[in-house]
Amino acid sequence: MKLNHVLSTLNQIEKSKFITCLDKLCSSADPASETITKTLKKVNQQIKDASGSDITQLFQAVAQEFKESAREKLALCDASMALLVNILSRDGNGVARISWIEQLYAREWESLDCLANQIKQDVGNSEAEDYSHIHRLKIFRDCLNVAYTNDEKINRQANITDDERSILNTLSHHLKISKDEVVAIEHLADPIKAGKQTVDSCLQELRDMGVIFINRKNAEVLIPDEVVAVLNQIQGKELADKHLLRILRVLSDAELSNILKSYGKRIRGVSRGDKISTILHSGIAVRDMLSRDLYDEADNQNKRKERLKVLITDLEIDAERIGSTLDERIDVILESLNSASDSEFDAISAAGYKEMFDSIQQNFKGLDSAGNPESLIQRIRTEFELEENDEVSVERLRALSITPQDMLYLLSNDEVKELRDILKLSKKGNPRFNILQAFANVNDKLIENYEALARRDFLTLKTVGIDIAETDIGVKFEEATKSILEQLDLVIDEELRKNINTAKDKADIIISISDDDIIIGEAKTCKNGDFAKYSTTSRQIKAYVNRCENQGKRVAQVLIIAPSFSQDFIESAEMDTEVNISLLTAEGLKQIYDAYKAKRRPNFSARLLTKGGLLKAELIAKSI
């Protein structure tokens, strides 16, 4: 969830620690920074009164200072804090209940303790000095113990300093010891605390640092995507697990085995899925994998560079330059994947995402690690560590920044090919890309025939190849309308819509135009003649307005979209004193959309939809 969105869901008290932290960083930042000066001037130097978008701008301006501040504070904390930060910064945990975080911590601690005891037993039973993996673990353990007990020699509390840790990190890199093993060995020297009280104490400390938000009403922890990126950098994690998974999916079995062999992991009798899972959960640095671990020993530098070139193609990375050195090509891969989320959400609309999600859920025939049948929902819960009673929906996935591509990469290569065949898509090219393209194209076709949808012209829709039940036309019109508004770069607030909807009344669209101001949108189809049901529509929208205002939002406008409106409807809307209503024909919205898409640098604002009465689409289209 983006910082701006997180801020809009919290009250002033819940935001206070973060804002205090940001205030201090802005005060000590470079006074020559134009962004900081301009934004602070806009809010009269009072950050606590700033809007979410202004606070987001300030955060971006001091992101480097925020990272250094968080790094210094986290360095003073014990290992239990490091373990919790690792959990909180993982995919799917950006919004989670405190009780679920406690369960994840307990599960992680148990797994870590088990690995630590296994290493202790293996090292204790081995006398060999053959530079095997166990021998390398012993070398690292002895060095870590010296670093830990150095302070005791000068009568100080045992601790590992930053300098010592940097040396240990370099040592683990050259000894090819994975991150999970490093943490387990440190756990043997300085046991990590377990228990609910430890988690609660660490969460409060992180909140005081301004690193996380806690929603007391829902007992939830929230960490914005921007802060997760900072935490990953502090941990030395260059790529989120969901993006690392994409790389592992396109590697061969032999390459996966090479990575595991480098770290002394078992490969005989291990399935491809288990190999990928082991690599993901071992914390192996992605740069080490791509620069040395996945290759055969005989592979020279040119072979390695050529392999990365093929990998860039396999990952559908569209880069202007792929670089000439190994490091440059690794940088291209990491930078492209780290910045992929926004473009991936833009490539397919929310409606297209939902349609794809529903189709995969219906046709998915997966198996879990034990070989038992598994649903798509179960796979998503497992891989993204979602709580059992959490609803898994497209809205929830979008809030957790899980893109359609992220979801498709949860499926193995064989599962994706099987799904592609069930959907009767082309066997040429990347099957994941073909699936995405298919649902993006379906959405485009609905927009192309938007006016026929509005008029419920079933025969025209059938003629152009849109396979749709007549009873579903209203829902598809609503989805197409939402998609058009999204592509006009308007912010659709699904979270608020979900909160105000009841079993009886459901608002179609909510557009956020500022932190507190919204537009309520209604998409109405009409088969014969003009849309004329003003009294019914009026009761609906006034109920939505009241619910939105109860959520602390100000309804700047109500926007009703229909194929056309009766004269009585137009006059009643103009004379309504309780709400501000704008009317827009389906043809008019399509005209605005076409004008927007035709311009290289379109200039469109949601405020153009708040003029009231029947909007003149041709004038709005010209102003774009």
Side-chain angles (χ1 to χ4, degrees):
M1 193 181 286
K2 295 292 184 184
L3 176 58
N4 196 2
H5 197 173
V6 170
L7 293 169
S8 70
T9 64
L10 301 170
N11 61 40
Q12 200 62 36
I13 295 172
E14 291 164 342
K15 295 186 283 191
S16 60
K17 297 293 183 182
F18 176 79
I19 289 173
T20 300
C21 170
L22 193 60
D23 197 3
K24 288 178 183 175
L25 292 174
C26 289
S27 300
S28 59
D30 183 2
S33 171
E34 286 185 21
T35 304
I36 296 174
T37 304
K38 186 178 177 182
T39 309
L40 287 176
K41 188 176 180 182
K42 183 178 175 183
V43 296
N44 297 319
Q45 307 296 319
Q46 298 296 314
I47 294 181
K48 68 178 189 298
D49 297 329
S51 68
S53 54
D54 289 334
I55 291 173
T56 301
Q57 280 184 347
L58 288 171
F59 177 81
Q60 290 167 347
V62 296
Q64 187 59 35
E65 290 83 353
F66 180 88
K67 182 172 83 172
E68 294 309 318
S69 171
R71 190 197 301 278
E72 289 172 13
K73 290 171 183 174
L74 289 171
L76 298 173
C77 300
D78 60 17
S80 57
M81 178 67 85
L83 183 63
L84 182 62
V85 166
N86 177 260
I87 293 168
L88 292 172
S89 57
R90 289 205 295 249
D91 307 319
N93 293 339
V95 182
R97 290 199 309 152
I98 293 173
S99 58
W100 179 239
I101 295 294
E102 290 166 354
Q103 288 181 52
L104 290 176
Y105 184 90
R107 187 194 301 172
E108 195 83 3
W109 187 93
E110 201 172 307
S111 175
L112 175 66
D113 193 56
C114 183
L115 176 61
N117 289 326
Q118 184 62 53
I119 290 173
K120 183 179 179 180
Q121 183 180 330
D122 290 345
V123 170
N125 293 340
S126 175
E127 296 295 330
E129 295 192 354
D130 54 359
Y131 207 62
S132 63
H133 188 66
I134 292 176
H135 181 214
R136 300 200 303 271
L137 288 174
K138 184 177 184 297
I139 294 170
F140 184 80
R141 184 205 63 179
D142 292 346
C143 291
L144 186 139
N145 285 339
V146 170
Y148 185 68
T149 56
N150 267 342
D151 292 317
E152 292 178 346
K153 295 176 183 177
I154 54 174
N155 201 25
R156 295 180 65 179
Q157 182 180 348
N159 191 26
I160 297 176
T161 66
D162 284 348
D163 287 345
E164 289 168 335
R165 189 169 296 283
S166 65
I167 294 169
L168 289 170
N169 288 342
T170 304
L171 182 64
S172 66
H173 165 76
H174 287 290
L175 292 177
K176 294 189 177 180
I177 295 173
S178 59
K179 182 72 180 291
D180 62 333
E181 291 170 332
V182 169
V183 177
I185 291 170
E186 189 167 348
H187 177 60
L188 290 172
D190 182 19
I192 295 172
K193 297 173 189 172
K196 177 180 181 298
Q197 192 173 352
T198 301
V199 177
D200 291 347
S201 173
C202 288
L203 287 176
Q204 188 55 50
E205 205 168 340
L206 286 170
R207 180 180 179 269
D208 291 342
M209 291 179 197
V211 170
I212 67 169
F213 298 88
I214 296 178
N215 183 329
R216 294 296 177 191
K217 181 182 175 183
N218 299 330
E220 274 184 338
V221 175
L222 298 96
I223 316 168
D225 296 344
E226 296 89 335
V227 176
V228 169
V230 169
L231 292 177
N232 282 338
Q233 289 169 25
I234 291 171
Q235 296 174 96
K237 193 174 179 179
E238 293 192 81
L239 207 59
D241 287 346
K242 64 180 185 179
H243 291 139
L244 174 56
L245 177 61
R246 299 187 188 188
I247 294 174
L248 299 178
R249 287 284 188 222
V250 299
L251 297 183
S252 68
D253 282 351
E255 288 168 333
L256 294 174
S257 294
N258 284 344
I259 294 169
L260 291 170
K261 276 192 292 187
S262 293
Y263 294 87
K265 308 287 185 185
R266 191 166 67 87
I267 59 171
R268 287 188 179 278
V270 179
S271 69
R272 177 180 173 84
D274 286 341
K275 287 178 184 178
I276 289 173
S277 179
T278 301
I279 294 169
L280 273 174
H281 293 102
S282 294
I284 299 169
V286 63
R287 191 173 288 275
D288 289 345
M289 277 188 228
L290 295 177
S291 63
R292 69 178 189 193
D293 297 335
L294 68 89
Y295 310 100
D296 293 330
E297 288 183 13
D299 289 349
N300 60 26
Q301 198 79 342
N302 285 333
K303 273 194 174 181
R304 296 183 183 200
K305 285 194 293 183
E306 194 58 34
R307 178 65 186 96
L308 290 185
K309 182 179 178 181
V310 173
L311 183 60
I312 288 169
T313 303
D314 290 342
L315 291 168
E316 301 283 342
I317 290 174
D318 184 17
E320 290 183 12
R321 287 185 69 255
I322 65 168
S324 57
T325 68
L326 201 66
D327 282 339
E328 284 175 352
R329 291 185 179 181
I330 292 171
D331 287 339
V332 166
I333 292 170
L334 300 186
E335 288 167 13
S336 298
L337 291 176
N338 278 324
S339 60
S341 291
D342 288 343
S343 60
E344 288 175 3
F345 277 127
D346 290 341
I348 184 170
S349 69
Y353 189 0
K354 185 177 185 306
E355 193 160 343
M356 186 185 86
F357 178 84
D358 292 341
S359 180
I360 296 173
Q361 189 177 357
Q362 183 180 343
N363 294 296
F364 182 61
K365 298 175 181 178
L367 300 173
D368 62 17
S369 56
N372 300 315
E374 181 181 40
S375 69
L376 178 67
I377 299 295
Q378 288 170 326
R379 177 74 59 87
I380 290 171
R381 283 194 201 283
T382 302
E383 296 299 330
F384 290 118
E385 297 183 322
L386 302 183
E387 196 172 357
E388 271 303 316
N389 57 6
D390 257 5
E391 180 193 3
V392 177
S393 63
V394 166
E395 290 77 17
R396 178 69 171 171
L397 296 178
R398 284 173 70 93
L400 294 171
S401 298
I402 296 168
T403 70
Q405 281 90 328
D406 294 333
M407 190 175 70
L408 283 173
Y409 274 99
L410 291 184
L411 279 59
S412 71
N413 295 347
D414 289 339
E415 288 169 343
V416 166
K417 288 174 184 174
E418 186 179 357
L419 178 63
R420 175 201 62 193
D421 294 343
I422 291 171
L423 297 175
K424 298 178 180 177
L425 302 177
S426 170
K427 293 188 178 183
K428 292 181 180 178
N430 186 322
R432 291 183 176 88
F433 181 78
N434 291 346
I435 293 169
L436 287 166
Q437 201 62 39
F439 287 96
N441 290 341
V442 166
N443 191 64
D444 289 343
K445 193 173 278 190
L446 288 175
I447 292 175
E448 282 173 24
N449 297 276
Y450 184 66
E451 294 164 62
L453 267 180
R455 295 192 307 272
R456 304 185 70 86
D457 189 343
F458 180 70
L459 291 177
T460 297
L461 295 173
K462 195 173 180 181
T463 302
V464 296
I466 296 176
D467 186 16
I468 185 173
E470 195 167 2
T471 52
D472 293 335
I473 289 178
V475 173
K476 292 299 178 187
F477 179 65
E478 179 188 321
E479 290 177 356
T481 303
K482 197 179 296 183
S483 179
I484 289 173
L485 295 172
E486 279 184 327
Q487 293 183 59
L488 291 174
D489 211 20
L490 301 181
V491 179
I492 307 298
D493 193 336
E494 284 296 322
E495 195 69 27
L496 179 60
R497 188 176 80 92
K498 182 180 169 185
N499 289 342
I500 70 160
N501 281 354
T502 65
K504 185 180 178 183
D505 290 324
K506 298 181 186 296
D508 292 342
I509 302 160
I510 297 201
I511 304 166
S512 176
I513 55 178
S514 73
D515 286 354
D516 300 315
D517 292 354
I518 61 166
I519 296 174
I520 295 176
E522 282 295 292
K524 302 292 186 183
T525 58
C526 182
K527 191 165 189 175
N528 297 310
D530 301 324
F531 189 67
K533 301 176 182 177
Y534 188 77
S535 58
T536 305
T537 306
S538 175
R539 280 196 300 273
Q540 281 182 324
I541 60 177
K542 284 170 186 175
Y544 304 149
V545 168
N546 288 334
R547 291 192 201 115
C548 287
E549 288 175 346
N550 289 337
Q551 295 277 335
K553 300 294 182 181
R554 191 181 79 84
V555 180
Q557 199 78 11
V558 171
L559 175 67
I560 302 174
I561 300 158
S564 59
F565 300 93
S566 69
Q567 191 58 37
D568 284 347
F569 193 100
I570 295 169
E571 289 172 1
S572 297
E574 289 174 346
M575 296 299 293
D576 200 315
T577 57
E578 293 182 50
V579 287
N580 300 319
I581 300 175
S582 293
L583 308 177
L584 183 59
T585 64
E587 181 187 1
L589 180 56
K590 181 67 164 51
Q591 188 177 355
I592 293 168
Y593 170 80
D594 290 340
Y596 185 90
K597 287 294 182 182
K599 290 291 177 75
R600 188 174 179 182
R601 291 180 181 170
N603 178 29
F604 180 78
S605 166
R607 299 286 177 186
L608 291 170
L609 304 176
T610 63
K611 301 297 182 184
L614 184 61
L615 299 177
K616 295 180 179 178
E618 63 278 3
L619 294 181
I620 296 175
K622 283 179 184 177
S623 71
I624 294 173

